[in-house]
Amino acid sequence: MNANEMGKGTLLEVLGIEIKEIGHGRVVATMPIDHRTHQPFGLLHGGASVALAETVASLGAYALVDQDTESVAGLEINANHVRPVRSGTVTATGTVLHRGRTTMVWDIRIVDDQQRLVCVSRCTIAIIKKS
């Protein structure tokens, strides 16, 4: 799976999200903080952080399912925005907390260029049988 190719023409491309690593139960991605990801006051938009977090969880979950018979979709996400950031790049690292038959739960930590926590998120992913 080439996640960066899959992201062409989608929100990932619009926000500048780049997938750096997809491992077994772990995903790392980056996103620039610029005009595309700012809110009107010049800070990283919380919605952009949530989009990054769900991207990491969804790609990580997809990498763990049988892609011939299963797909995945976000079921629930929450986020705590703990530090404002105006510029640079944020890095999201997602790890699977629970891998069940019909759902997965992912923990996502987003940090700034100085490795300071910007956002912490938890995302529940539904595992869907293809028809």
Side-chain angles (χ1 to χ4, degrees):
M1 166 177 59
N2 184 332
N4 289 312
E5 282 300 314
M6 288 174 60
K8 296 257 189 239
T10 71
L11 184 66
L12 281 71
E13 183 175 40
V14 171
L15 296 179
I17 295 172
E18 290 186 31
I19 309 306
K20 299 298 186 180
E21 171 191 334
I22 298 181
H24 190 77
R26 183 180 189 303
V27 177
V28 178
T30 60
M31 183 176 67
I33 305 163
D34 60 21
H35 68 282
R36 298 171 293 176
T37 57
H38 278 157
Q39 42 93 306
F41 302 109
L43 299 172
L44 175 62
H45 194 294
S49 294
V50 171
L52 176 61
E54 187 162 345
T55 297
V56 165
S58 295
L59 288 172
Y62 188 65
L64 293 175
V65 300
D66 179 347
Q67 296 170 12
D68 292 329
T69 62
E70 297 172 315
S71 189
V72 299
L75 187 62
E76 187 274 338
I77 190 164
N78 67 49
N80 294 98
H81 308 290
V82 297
R83 176 183 302 280
V85 62
R86 292 183 178 276
S87 62
T89 301
V90 287
T91 301
T93 302
T95 54
V96 66
L97 297 175
H98 164 75
R99 183 178 175 189
R101 190 175 42 82
T102 59
T103 62
M104 288 187 213
V105 178
W106 284 74
D107 175 71
I108 305 97
R109 307 285 168 144
I110 300 174
V111 298
D112 65 11
D113 289 327
Q114 288 77 45
Q115 301 303 306
R116 297 176 298 189
L117 188 63
V118 171
C119 177
V120 61
S121 180
R122 188 182 64 229
C123 185
T124 303
I125 301 290
I127 302 168
I128 303 164
K129 294 288 183 194
K130 291 181 180 178
S131 351

